[in-house]
């Protein structure tokens, strides 16, 4: 086993890393960041807490690894054959995440905690960096198909779509209309300006 | 004086309502939602705390009124003569809010607190409802000028733009590029799809 610490899905980590990650996010959804403890994760996952500390020296580090490695936030970039289809599938993932338990409990708890903990904020940045690296496959295929300019600002497209969902659900506290995903993707790809 | 409670900028409230609102947001930015107390607001604004309780029976109610009434979040919808110019001005307001103290401290504290307090979440909804009612003037003028279809989903446009800023600054923790505002508005109005 490697000497490398901070195991992730990328390879190394303790034998029951998956159980540890899943238990971490379950406990976060149930108890919030304040109530999340390494002791609680050890108990839930049936692992000795010294094992957890050996790989992740703090609660923030463990949560950072769990956000990327846990099954609850598992993510495979869509490949529907069109940019519209892929962006609708991506956005559907975000809307499901933010409107279905336990994922929305996790998202809202993380959001609350990120405003309080600079260490956790760093791990959240890593989570989003990991996500956008995976999402890049969608944009590479769209460029290859001629649907998107090679110099398109792909992070902007993701942030417009995902951000609108966060705004609507978390900040406004409003439900998403049934056609929210299609309208949002249509606007970002084709624009809202009136064509006369 | 009206018997109505929960005074706001719309009219009624105690004589020093403006000082109370401003002090509320200052204290929120400095101490977070947990550290915000009606006693602290009374002290800072030079008002007896029973006066504050008479109008706003809880910290959440006071903060809800302060978000709408305080000078720090003062807002006048832009009127630049074009939809592009108005949306750029609107988005500039959001980016300044989220990247400049004390407003960004207020925004991040509110965001953290909204995940913990259902009462505060309700007041945040009122704040955003108030904002979009003010922003509607921008869209009404754009429809009159023929720049926007009369049935355009204006809340979606606001949420795409404002949400992208929240994503980039608060969740990703990344700086905004200098042309972020122009690119975001250009994408939402004209679309990102490659025109062949």
């Amino acid at each position: 086993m490697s000497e490398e610490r901070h195991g992730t899905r990328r390879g190394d980590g303790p034998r029951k890393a998956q159980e540890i990650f899943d238990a971490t996010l379950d406990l976060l959804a149930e108890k919030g960041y304040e109530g999340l403890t390494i002791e609680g994760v050890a108990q839930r996952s049936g692992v000795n807490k010294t094992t957890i500390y050996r790989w992740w020296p703090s609660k923030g580090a463990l949560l950072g690894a769990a956000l990327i490695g846990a099954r609850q936030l598992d993510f495979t970039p869509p490949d529907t054959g069109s940019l519209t289809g892929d962006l609708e599938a991506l956005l559907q993932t975000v809307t499901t995440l933010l409107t279905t338990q336990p994922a929305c409990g996790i998202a809202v708890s993380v959001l609350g905690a990120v405003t309080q903990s600079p260490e956790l904020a760093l791990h959240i940045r890593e989570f989003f960096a990991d996500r956008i690296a995976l999402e890049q496959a969608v944009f590479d295929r769209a460029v290859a198909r001629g649907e998107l300019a090679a110099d398109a600002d792909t992070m902007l497209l993701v942030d417009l779509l995902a951000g609108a969902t966060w705004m609507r659900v978390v900040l406004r506290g409003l439900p998403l209309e049934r056609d929210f995903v299609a309208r949002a993707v249509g606007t970002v790809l084709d624009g809202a300006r009136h064509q006369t």
Side-chain angles (χ1 to χ4, degrees), chain A:
Chain A
M1 192 181 281
S2 152
E3 282 299 297
E4 176 75 16
R5 298 291 176 90
H6 310 300
T8 72
R9 68 152 178 254
R10 306 280 181 257
D12 44 274
R15 200 169 45 81
K16 294 183 77 176
Q18 190 66 62
E19 287 82 354
I20 293 168
F21 294 156
D22 296 354
T24 301
L25 292 202
D26 281 347
L27 284 170
L28 179 73
E30 286 167 27
K31 296 170 189 290
Y33 188 67
E34 287 303 309
L36 176 68
T37 61
I38 290 194
E39 184 134 31
V41 172
Q43 210 158 46
R44 177 77 61 108
S45 58
V47 170
N48 198 299
K49 74 177 174 179
T50 56
T51 303
I52 299 180
Y53 276 113
R54 197 177 136 238
W55 288 91
W56 301 283
S58 69
K59 179 165 87 167
L62 174 60
L63 180 54
L67 288 172
I68 291 177
R71 270 183 285 241
Q72 295 95 320
L73 297 180
D74 205 19
F75 174 73
T76 306
D79 186 6
T80 64
S82 76
L83 179 57
T84 301
D86 283 0
L87 288 184
E88 287 183 357
L90 274 182
L91 188 54
Q92 191 60 59
T93 305
V94 178
T95 62
T96 302
L97 178 80
L98 290 179
T99 57
T100 316
Q101 288 295 4
C104 71
I106 294 168
V108 168
S109 294
V110 165
L111 184 66
V114 79
T115 62
Q116 329 255 324
S117 159
E119 190 206 347
L120 183 59
L122 182 74
H123 293 296
I124 301 289
R125 289 168 65 162
E126 291 168 357
F127 167 75
F128 281 110
D130 180 80
R131 273 293 157 101
I132 204 151
L134 294 172
E135 289 157 354
Q136 191 56 40
V138 162
F139 298 111
D140 290 345
R141 288 193 297 262
V143 170
R145 284 189 299 253
E147 295 176 288
L148 198 63
D151 64 349
D153 184 344
T154 56
M155 186 185 280
L156 178 62
L157 300 183
V158 172
D159 287 355
L160 287 165
L161 293 172
T165 314
W166 282 86
M167 273 296 294
R168 189 69 59 93
V169 174
V170 181
L171 296 178
R172 287 196 199 278
L174 291 179
L176 295 172
E177 306 94 344
R178 204 189 323 199
D179 61 351
F180 175 83
V181 164
R183 290 175 89 129
V185 171
T187 301
V188 165
L189 288 182
D190 299 316
R193 198 189 297 279
H194 191 221
Q195 311 293 336
T196 46

